[in-house]
Amino acid sequence: MLIQSKMEANRLITQIDAILPQTQCAKCGYPGCKPYATAIVNGEADINQCPPGGDTGIRILANLTHMEYKPLNAENGIEKSKALAFIDEATCIGCTLCIQACPVDAILGASKQMHTVITNECTGCELCLAPCPVDCITMQPIETVSDNWQLNYFSIANNKTKVAADLARKRYEFRMFRLEREEAESAQKHADRAMRNKAESAKMPTAQTENNSSMVNNAKKAAIAAAIERAHLLKAATAKN
Ligand code: SF4
Ligand code: SF4
Ligand code: SF4
């Protein structure tokens, strides 16, 4: 693949990302469809690493990139029927681990409360399965209907399908933006706390300073006591005379 400029590379990344299924499952070895598209353009990844895209996806990628067609790399997984996640709400313990794993924020719930999957937004990536400590998430096959975007992603002629996949991309991008923002806020809080601690310890006297100051006070007290004692003695001697 001969790429002449950064602009051309970016355009190709966008075109490849538009073809990829937006499952955001990371089975290609990259943390999402856009990073995989970037790796293909950078010559770091082959076009046969996306199991959800399957053979159709590889052929479309080969056509777009002018790279040689190859069957799906088995190391990345196998092409299988699409399915969506369902949570057995009676068994869910509300640990929130699945929410943290979902790349498109398709799970609703809160700590110690039951969780549920927003079916229309689930991409079927399976990333929520492994973290669940009570195995209450299962993948259930998708109903075969013409406007089911998860099933028919490559029917680009079906505009409803494309719009829904674009929504999955936007949800993924927004989640990445939110995670980056949370990380930056957390780093800022740590930095602020460290600055506050430093400023407070600069204000506090050290143990040595406290010790020195206490020694000075004791010496002053002893000198005053000695002066009072001398004054008493002088007074007593004056009275005798
Ligand atoms: S669908 Fe999964 S395997 Fe395919 S490109 Fe996207 S993240 Fe990678
Ligand atoms: S609910 Fe589970 S399977 Fe569905 S998108 Fe989220 S992590 Fe993936
Ligand atoms: S990981 Fe399992 S138990 Fe924890 S909130 Fe999700 S569904 Fe419930």
Side-chain angles (χ1 to χ4, degrees):
M1 201 174 10
L2 184 64
I3 296 168
Q4 313 239 343
S5 68
K6 180 95 180 139
M7 197 191 289
E8 195 185 338
N10 286 340
R11 190 165 52 236
L12 190 54
I13 290 169
T14 305
Q15 286 173 326
I16 293 175
D17 184 44
I19 285 169
L20 294 171
Q22 304 308 311
T23 310
Q24 313 296 357
C25 61
K27 289 189 174 122
C28 51
Y30 295 86
C33 301
K34 184 90 176 271
Y36 176 49
T38 307
I40 292 174
V41 172
N42 290 344
E44 295 157 3
D46 218 327
I47 55 171
N48 63 343
Q49 295 178 207
C50 173
D55 199 61
T56 310
I58 296 169
R59 289 184 189 281
I60 297 174
L61 281 176
N63 194 33
L64 174 70
T65 61
H66 307 296
M67 288 167 76
E68 190 190 344
Y69 163 83
K70 294 172 184 170
L72 181 63
N73 187 339
E75 285 182 13
N76 297 99
I78 53 165
E79 192 174 352
K80 55 186 179 185
S81 316
K82 303 287 190 296
L84 300 183
F86 282 86
I87 293 177
D88 175 4
E89 293 169 1
T91 314
C92 171
I93 57 170
C95 68
T96 76
L97 291 175
C98 55
I99 290 187
Q100 294 165 44
C102 181
V104 290
D105 289 336
I107 301 178
L108 285 178
S111 181
K112 299 192 177 62
Q113 290 177 21
M114 76 164 199
H115 286 46
T116 194
V117 174
I118 311 166
T119 304
N120 273 345
E121 289 171 6
C122 173
T123 65
C125 73
E126 301 180 350
L127 289 174
C128 53
L129 298 185
C132 181
V134 292
D135 291 335
C136 70
I137 310 176
T138 50
M139 300 304 294
Q140 296 187 12
I142 293 180
E143 194 187 347
T144 308
V145 289
S146 62
D147 63 354
N148 192 323
W149 75 272
Q150 291 111 329
L151 188 67
N152 299 309
Y153 180 72
F154 290 113
S155 315
I156 298 295
N158 178 343
N159 196 40
K160 191 170 175 187
T161 305
K162 180 88 176 77
V163 168
D166 286 345
L167 190 62
R169 182 185 297 106
K170 285 198 175 75
R171 292 181 70 81
Y172 170 76
E173 285 169 354
F174 180 75
R175 181 172 186 271
M176 299 310 282
F177 165 77
R178 178 172 59 77
L179 292 179
E180 271 174 33
R181 189 188 58 199
E182 285 170 2
E183 202 175 312
E185 284 171 357
S186 165
Q188 187 60 52
K189 271 188 199 155
H190 275 99
D192 289 349
R193 197 175 307 131
M195 289 278 282
R196 270 200 309 278
N197 288 345
K198 202 173 166 191
E200 273 163 24
S201 45
K203 269 193 257 161
M204 270 170 40
T206 61
Q208 186 58 46
T209 311
E210 279 178 350
N211 210 14
N212 290 347
S213 139
S214 150
M215 281 167 67
V216 169
N217 286 342
N218 288 344
K220 273 187 189 164
K221 278 182 196 161
I224 291 166
I228 292 169
E229 180 64 19
R230 274 198 308 278
H232 282 157
L233 289 173
L234 186 62
K235 197 173 172 187
T238 314
K240 269 187 207 165
N241 295 334

